[in-house]
Amino acid sequence: LTAIKGWGETIKDTQNDKELLNKGLDVIVNESERLTDLVEDLLDFSRMESGRMSLNLSQIDIVKELSEVLKVFESRSERENIELITEIPKNGIILRGDKNRLKQSFVNIIDNAFKYNSKNGHVKVSLKAESKQVKIIVADNGCGISKNDLPRIREKFYKANNSVRGSGIGLAVTDEIIKLHNGDFIIDSEIGKGTTVTITLPRNK
């Protein structure tokens, strides 16, 4: 809010400087998006605390939903020079779930993989179908998480790296969403080598 207010005042006083105007508008748009994400995280946190987080379940194609999320990250991959590698089946896989909540979980995980990575790094997203379950695996070669931080990384508001933007709620929300789907959410990581996140969801019988 401080950045938005400050740049708003600056633009108001310097409307003839096109370069400064564009820079200020970029900051305002980016900070507004960040504020929106924070508000959504806080709303989810409130729902979790009160036990009101619920699912809108239906038969969904998990391949389709994950593919749509990956399209969002394609331009970011080019912009940040981080390679996005995908291994997704061509055929659909039907399971019972809340498509919006699952998409939210995928976005949280993949966003973290990009945020904690660096130029010339890579993020690999795989979907593996087994007889009774589906696994979504997101692996990166970023900075990794220390052994001390790893057990606490899914706690609400806990951040292993305060230099990276974020509320510290995303992984806690993702953990809750996957639990509500009767799935598993596992994080493996090593400092300097990267992080692998595995989401396991039950398939329809």
Side-chain angles (χ1 to χ4, degrees):
L1 284 173
T2 300
I4 293 169
K5 182 175 183 292
W7 274 102
E9 292 171 345
T10 300
I11 290 171
K12 187 177 180 181
D13 294 335
T14 57
Q15 295 183 32
N16 294 327
D17 188 334
K18 191 173 181 180
E19 184 178 348
L20 189 64
L21 176 64
N22 287 332
K23 182 179 179 181
L25 290 174
D26 284 342
V27 172
I28 289 171
V29 169
N30 290 335
E31 290 301 300
S32 296
E33 289 175 350
R34 194 160 70 92
L35 185 60
T36 299
D37 291 341
L38 179 59
V39 170
E40 289 295 332
D41 282 346
L42 289 171
L43 285 171
D44 279 335
F45 173 71
S46 176
R47 295 185 189 106
M48 285 171 60
E49 290 295 280
S50 62
R52 289 185 294 108
M53 181 177 279
S54 59
L55 301 180
N56 183 17
L57 295 171
S58 63
Q59 298 294 100
I60 64 171
D61 180 353
I62 197 67
V63 173
K64 176 177 177 290
E65 304 308 332
L66 179 58
S67 297
E68 288 182 0
V69 169
L70 289 170
K71 286 179 183 177
V72 176
F73 285 93
E74 287 176 358
S75 59
R76 180 171 175 181
S77 171
E78 294 179 8
R79 188 172 64 253
E80 298 183 9
N81 199 22
I82 295 174
E83 185 181 10
L84 178 60
I85 305 164
T86 61
E87 291 184 355
I88 310 296
K90 292 182 179 179
N91 296 329
I93 299 172
I94 305 300
L95 54 79
R96 187 166 175 78
D98 184 326
K99 68 177 183 178
N100 291 326
R101 286 296 187 184
L102 287 174
K103 278 185 174 181
Q104 178 185 2
S105 298
F106 301 154
V107 168
N108 282 343
I109 298 304
I110 300 171
D111 179 60
N112 276 348
F114 273 87
K115 281 195 300 188
Y116 292 95
N117 216 317
S118 56
K119 191 175 288 188
N120 299 320
H122 69 257
V123 174
K124 182 177 180 180
V125 182
S126 309
L127 193 157
K128 297 182 178 181
E130 300 176 358
S131 60
K132 295 183 179 180
Q133 59 191 18
V134 172
K135 289 186 177 181
I136 295 92
I137 304 165
V138 180
D140 67 70
N141 63 338
C143 62
I145 306 166
S146 73
K147 290 182 179 180
N148 290 333
D149 288 319
L150 198 56
R152 301 189 59 193
I153 201 68
R154 284 180 283 191
E155 293 179 11
K156 304 174 187 75
F157 300 111
Y158 187 83
K159 292 182 68 177
N161 188 339
N162 288 310
S163 66
V164 178
R165 66 174 178 82
S167 63
I169 303 174
L171 290 181
V173 170
T174 296
D175 192 36
E176 184 70 13
I177 290 170
I178 301 307
K179 283 178 180 176
L180 289 172
H181 280 86
N182 297 315
D184 292 317
F185 175 42
I186 298 171
I187 304 172
D188 294 308
S189 189
E190 188 174 343
I191 284 288
K193 291 191 176 181
T195 300
T196 299
V197 175
T198 304
I199 292 174
T200 303
L201 298 169
R203 292 186 68 172
N204 291 357
K205 293 183 179 179

